[in-house]
Amino acid sequence: GADIMALSGGVAECLLTTAAGLSIAIPVIFFQHYLSNRVETYVGSLTHLGQELSLFFQNNAAVNAAYGN
């Protein structure tokens, strides 16, 4: 009888530890996913801005070369 009681106490502790871990891990995963999407959005915006600036400077250089500036 004592072995079963000791074993059930260990199993209960494992279940509580698992529940505590999941209660922390699941919200953290959602938060990480949210932040990852925000970063991807900012990277896309900065990439687009960089392309626009590159085109602007290329066109500006072409205009200056055409007019001898």
Side-chain angles (χ1 to χ4, degrees), residues 9-61:
V11 170
E13 184 180 352
C14 286
L15 290 173
L16 288 174
T17 304
T18 300
L22 288 174
S23 70
I24 293 170
I26 291 171
V28 168
I29 288 172
F30 281 114
F31 187 64
Q32 186 271 338
H33 182 71
Y34 169 76
L35 288 179
S36 179
N37 284 340
R38 295 268 318 234
V39 167
E40 285 182 27
T41 300
Y42 287 132
V43 167
S45 296
L46 289 174
T47 300
H48 181 73
L49 178 62
Q51 291 169 345
E52 291 290 323
L53 283 171
S54 178
L55 286 173
F56 172 78
F57 288 122
Q58 287 174 4
N59 290 337
N60 195 23

